Amino acid sequence: MTSPRILVVDDEADLRELLEITLLKMGLDVDSAATLKQARAFLAGTEYALVLTDMRLPDGLGLELVREVTAAFRCTPIAVVTAYGSADNAVVALKAGAFDYVSKPVVLDELRILVRSALRLSAPAPDSACEPGAAPSRLIGRSDAMQSLRAQIARLARSMAPIAITGESGSGKELAAREIHAQSSRAAKPFIAVNCGAIPEALMEAEFFGYRKGAFTGAADERDGFFQAANGGTLMLDEVADLPLAMQVKLLRAIQERRVRKIGATAEEPVDVRIISATHQNLAHCVETGRFRQDLFYRLNVIELGVPALRERLDDLELLTTAILERLAGGGQRAGLGAQVLETMRGYGFPGNVRELENVLERALAFADGGMIEVGDLSLKGARAMPVAGAPAHAPAHSQAQSAPAEPAAPALAALPNSLPDYLNQVERDIIIRALAQTQFNRTQAAQLLGISFRQLRYQMQKLDIHAPEP
C-alpha cells in the first residue's frame, strides 16, 4: 500500500528539513518546494494528502496557494505555517479555505496532530470520496435556505476553522453543529456541547479546564474539563455571549495556545479541539457595548454560519411536522393532521422556531382524538384562525350581538403586534422595571420577587438595556 504523500512549501531550508524528517518518521512520503512556482509544478503532476505551506515565500504569499488548492484540489487539505504572534494571518488563511495552521517555532507534537487529522480527512471513503452531501443529513427541509445551509456545512466540515453559528433560539444551531462534526474527520471522536449560560461563574474554570485532586475544598479526585473531554473532537460553546469577561480571557488563551492548565496544576497540557460557538445574540453588538472581548470575537467568528428561522422556511413545515410526529408517536402508532391544521400553523409566527413546533405538536398529540390532530388541539396562543371559505368579511353588528351577547367585541378585534419578539421584550421590560421600582432598585430583592436568579435578572437587564437611575 502506497504511503500518503505530503507537499512541504517553505523557503527556510532548516525548517523544511525539520518538517521532512518529522513526516518521514511518521511513515509518510514527502516532496519539498522552496517557492510557489515549484509548488505549482508538484501539484500539477502529483496527488497529495496534505499541503503544508509557509505564509511568506520568495515569489508570493502562501495565501495564493491556499486559494488555488482550495479551488482546484477540493480533496486536498492545505495548512499554513504562520510566524509567532501572527494570529491575524492565521485567521485570514482559515477564511480563505485553509484546513488548519501551526505557528512558528513549530511544536512537533502539534504538527503531528494536525497531520493525522488531515490524513483522516483526505482518506477516501468507500461510498463518498470527498463528495459533499453524500451522507443523509439530519437537517430536514427542501427549501432554498436549508439547501444552502447543508451545502455550507459540507464545505465547512472539511476545515478546522472555528465557526460561529448564529440564529434565533430554537432554530437548530446545535443540530447544525452536530452535522458539521458528523461530516468532519472528527466524527469518530467526542462532540461536547456546553451551555455557557447555565454554568455558575465560580465553577466555570473548573468545568472548562478540569482540576487536580486537592486543588480546592471539595476536590476529592482529579477531574477533566470540557476541553479534555472533547480532545480529538468538537467542543460547542452554546450561548457563548453569556460568558463573563474573566472567563473570556482564559478561553481566548486556550484557543490560541491549544493548551489548557487544570486548576492546581503547574504545567499546561495540549488539547486538539475544534471550536464551534453559537448564540442567538448579536456578538458584534456585544463587542460594541463592552460585554464581549473583541479579540475573542475575531478568534471565534472566523467563519459565520446562519441558521434560518422557521418562518423563513415555511415550505419545510410539512416535512418537519411529519418527521416530528413520527418520532413522537413511536411504537407503530399513527398520527395525522386534520383539515386546515397546516394552514393554521403557516399563519403562526413560531417565535420559538422548530423547538416550539415540537412542543406544539407534542401537546396537540396528547389531546388528539385517535391520533388525529385538529386545529383546536394546537392551542396556538395569539394565532388567528384561518378564514372559512365563503364566510362574509364583515358580519352585521346586530348579528354579532345575538350570536355572542356575553362576549365583549373589543378583545377579539384587538390588533396583533407587528413583531411578537419586540412586543414580548417590551412586556418583560415593563415588568422588570416595576419590580425594580417596588424594591428601590435592589436587584437581589427584585429577582426574588420575580422568581428568577440574580444572574438571570442581570442578564435580562443587559439584554433589555435597563439601567439604574442616576443618583
Side-chain angles (χ1 to χ4, degrees):
M1 183 177 177
T2 306
S3 299
R5 184 169 289 273
I6 312 295
L7 175 60
V8 175
V9 187
D10 200 300
D11 62 331
E12 295 182 36
D14 292 343
L15 179 57
R16 198 165 61 240
E17 183 179 0
L18 174 64
L19 296 176
E20 287 179 18
I21 293 171
T22 303
L23 295 171
L24 288 169
K25 285 183 177 180
M26 294 177 68
L28 305 170
D29 294 330
V30 184
D31 288 331
S32 295
T35 64
L36 281 176
K37 183 178 179 180
Q38 293 176 5
R40 288 166 180 150
F42 276 119
L43 285 166
T46 309
E47 185 176 337
Y48 291 98
L50 172 66
V51 177
L52 186 62
T53 180
D54 193 9
M55 284 290 282
R56 295 187 177 275
L57 298 165
D59 55 345
L61 296 175
L63 199 59
E64 298 175 39
L65 197 62
V66 170
R67 294 192 176 105
E68 291 172 18
V69 170
T70 302
F73 306 95
R74 289 193 308 150
C75 291
T76 302
I78 180 168
V80 297
V81 181
T82 66
Y84 177 76
S86 300
D88 292 343
N89 287 340
V91 170
V92 170
L94 290 170
K95 286 187 174 180
F99 163 74
D100 203 354
Y101 72 93
V102 62
S103 300
K104 295 180 181 179
V106 176
V107 178
L108 295 183
D109 285 344
E110 293 182 5
L111 175 67
R112 294 186 187 101
I113 289 173
L114 182 152
V115 172
R116 292 190 189 103
S117 185
L119 292 179
R120 288 197 302 268
L121 180 65
S122 60
D127 297 325
S128 59
C130 302
E131 288 301 320
S137 173
R138 290 172 291 182
L139 293 167
I140 300 170
R142 300 195 190 104
S143 63
D144 292 343
M146 290 306 292
Q147 291 186 38
S148 174
L149 178 63
R150 285 195 292 267
Q152 290 180 70
I153 286 175
R155 291 194 298 270
L156 297 179
R158 295 184 52 77
S159 168
M160 268 288 292
I163 298 173
I165 302 179
T166 60
E168 297 178 5
S169 294
S171 57
K173 296 187 292 294
E174 183 174 336
L175 190 60
R178 289 184 181 276
E179 190 74 8
I180 294 169
H181 175 75
Q183 294 189 33
S184 73
S185 60
R186 298 171 171 263
K189 299 294 183 177
F191 175 92
I192 305 295
V194 181
N195 188 332
C196 299
I199 305 172
E201 188 171 344
L203 300 179
M204 275 195 170
E205 186 174 358
E207 291 291 327
F208 274 93
F209 307 134
Y211 52 82
R212 289 288 180 89
K213 180 179 180 180
F216 50 83
T217 303
D221 298 294
E222 183 169 345
R223 180 181 170 184
D224 287 340
F226 297 133
F227 273 87
Q228 293 93 340
N231 195 28
T234 304
L235 178 61
M236 180 189 178
L237 305 176
D238 197 8
E239 298 303 343
V240 69
D242 290 341
L243 283 172
L245 288 170
M247 189 61 202
Q248 292 177 29
V249 177
K250 296 170 183 175
L251 180 62
L252 175 65
R253 175 174 174 79
I255 293 173
Q256 288 186 162
E257 302 299 326
R258 302 185 184 187
R259 291 175 173 272
V260 297
R261 179 186 286 115
K262 290 182 175 180
I263 297 177
T266 56
E268 294 181 329
E269 54 185 295
V271 287
D272 172 27
V273 171
R274 184 182 191 178
I275 300 291
I276 298 179
S277 59
T279 180
H280 73 281
Q281 299 186 55
N282 186 328
L283 269 186
H285 178 68
C286 293
V287 171
E288 292 174 3
T289 57
R291 292 172 45 218
F292 203 83
R293 291 181 61 95
Q294 187 176 50
D295 46 8
L296 179 58
F297 171 74
Y298 286 131
R299 295 301 297 169
L300 295 176
N301 201 54
V302 173
I303 299 174
E304 185 172 316
L305 180 69
V307 178
L310 180 55
R311 63 180 174 277
E312 297 170 2
R313 56 185 189 103
L314 289 177
D315 291 346
D316 297 329
L317 190 60
E318 185 172 1
L319 280 174
L320 285 167
T321 299
T322 301
I324 293 169
L325 287 178
E326 287 178 356
R327 176 171 56 80
L328 291 175
Q333 181 185 357
R334 300 288 296 176
L337 300 178
Q340 299 295 313
V341 170
L342 275 175
E343 286 74 9
T344 300
M345 289 197 296
R346 286 193 179 99
Y348 179 61
F350 282 105
N353 294 293
V354 180
R355 184 184 296 130
E356 183 180 6
L357 175 63
E358 292 177 342
N359 293 339
V360 166
L361 291 174
E362 186 171 10
R363 181 177 62 243
L365 193 59
F367 286 103
D369 186 11
M372 181 59 68
I373 296 175
E374 301 293 346
V375 173
D377 300 322
L378 295 175
S379 301
L380 294 177
K381 296 181 180 179
R384 282 186 179 272
M386 297 300 290
V388 180
H394 300 282
H398 71 274
S399 174
Q400 293 177 5
Q402 290 175 3
S403 59
E407 292 292 332
L413 298 175
L416 291 173
N418 293 328
S419 170
L420 182 61
D422 291 346
Y423 175 78
L424 293 176
N425 282 341
Q426 186 59 46
V427 171
E428 187 175 10
R429 193 175 193 278
D430 292 343
I431 292 173
I432 291 176
I433 289 175
R434 285 169 52 197
L436 290 168
Q438 188 172 329
T439 60
Q440 286 75 48
F441 232 86
N442 185 313
R443 291 184 294 175
T444 302
Q445 293 179 11
Q448 294 173 350
L449 193 63
L450 295 171
I452 59 177
S453 68
F454 174 81
R455 189 175 177 197
Q456 285 176 304
L457 177 62
R458 185 178 62 183
Y459 166 74
Q460 293 302 114
M461 289 176 64
Q462 291 174 343
K463 173 185 168 186
L464 300 171
D465 197 27
I466 300 173
H467 303 286
E470 294 292 334

